[in-house]
Amino acid sequence: MSILTILEFPDDRLRKKAVDVKTVDDKTKKLITDMLETMYQAKGVGLAATQVNIQQRIIVIDISEEKNAPICLINPEIISKDGKKESEEGCLSVPGFYEKVNRCEHIRIKALDRDGRLFELEAQDLLAVCIQHEIDHLNGKLFVDYLSTLKRQRIKTKLQKIQRMEKNST
């Protein structure tokens, strides 16, 4: 099993839009397994394929405490949404930063599962926030885009400094 490299803001590759998965095959299933393993190792609750530099519309999520309830969404699409909720978000691609973001409180989506079967899912609270956050990734958008320009620039500057220090220490 392999662990994938998670891209970090401000990497331009995070801004690419993902394309639909045409066929769910063994390669797709291996990618999903690798994404889940990567997400669990990084102690995240969600991961989009674009975050590991794969431009396909695939998301993995597991909000369970035990990390034993993975959800896979292929070609996810929000079909209805309502309510507004502000909650604190973080991101594996923006490590160490947490900010309040407004999202819809309740959503309904349709997607393909790991076996390529179409299904619908209603989500609220943390799951709804997580799905919206990961779909944003597939569209080239990050949670920092919801912040003020000043806040986003401060985060970018701090992360670039950390990335330079890590690069120089190797």
Side-chain angles (χ1 to χ4, degrees):
M1 293 192 282
S2 93
I3 300 295
L4 306 167
T5 301
I6 298 172
L7 301 176
E8 291 185 5
F9 177 70
D11 194 311
D12 289 336
R13 294 173 291 179
L14 289 166
R15 299 302 185 174
K16 291 182 179 175
K17 281 188 83 165
V19 297
D20 280 347
V21 174
K22 302 277 189 254
T23 326
V24 179
D25 55 17
D26 288 343
K27 187 176 175 184
T28 307
K29 291 176 184 179
K30 177 163 182 1
L31 172 60
I32 291 163
T33 299
D34 290 348
M35 286 175 62
L36 283 165
E37 186 179 341
T38 302
M39 178 188 73
Y40 290 136
Q41 184 177 17
K43 304 203 181 340
V45 295
L47 185 69
T50 51
Q51 290 178 271
V52 293
N53 200 28
I54 296 169
Q55 308 313 318
Q56 294 181 26
R57 296 188 70 78
I58 301 172
I59 293 169
V60 295
I61 295 171
D62 190 341
I63 60 169
S64 69
E65 287 291 321
E66 302 80 21
K67 299 300 177 207
N68 64 355
I71 298 170
C72 173
L73 305 173
I74 300 171
N75 301 337
E77 182 183 329
I78 296 174
I79 51 179
S80 68
K81 55 187 176 181
D82 60 70
K84 287 284 179 213
K85 182 178 185 169
E86 182 181 71
S87 57
E88 193 170 76
E89 289 186 30
C91 180
L92 295 175
S93 291
V94 189
F97 292 89
Y98 300 88
E99 295 290 339
K100 293 200 180 296
V101 175
N102 284 308
R103 300 270 187 193
C104 293
E105 190 171 29
H106 178 263
I107 62 171
R108 183 169 188 80
I109 64 157
K110 68 178 181 178
L112 300 177
D113 68 12
R114 185 182 191 129
D115 295 313
R117 292 183 301 248
L118 184 65
F119 73 102
E120 290 190 9
L121 173 71
E122 275 194 53
Q124 56 192 27
D125 302 323
L126 178 58
L127 183 57
V129 167
C130 195
I131 291 170
Q132 291 169 85
H133 176 110
E134 300 306 333
I135 287 176
D136 274 354
H137 275 298
L138 299 180
N139 295 325
K141 188 171 185 173
L142 303 174
F143 90 95
V144 294
D145 296 338
Y146 291 93
L147 308 177
S148 70
T149 305
L150 180 62
K151 261 189 187 176
R152 187 171 47 255
Q153 188 58 44
R154 282 185 180 156
I155 291 170
K156 179 180 176 181
T157 302
K158 286 179 184 176
L159 279 174
Q160 286 174 321
K161 182 178 179 183
I162 291 166
Q163 291 161 3
R164 275 193 308 273
M165 289 170 49
E166 287 173 353
K167 193 176 183 180
N168 291 336
S169 70
T170 57

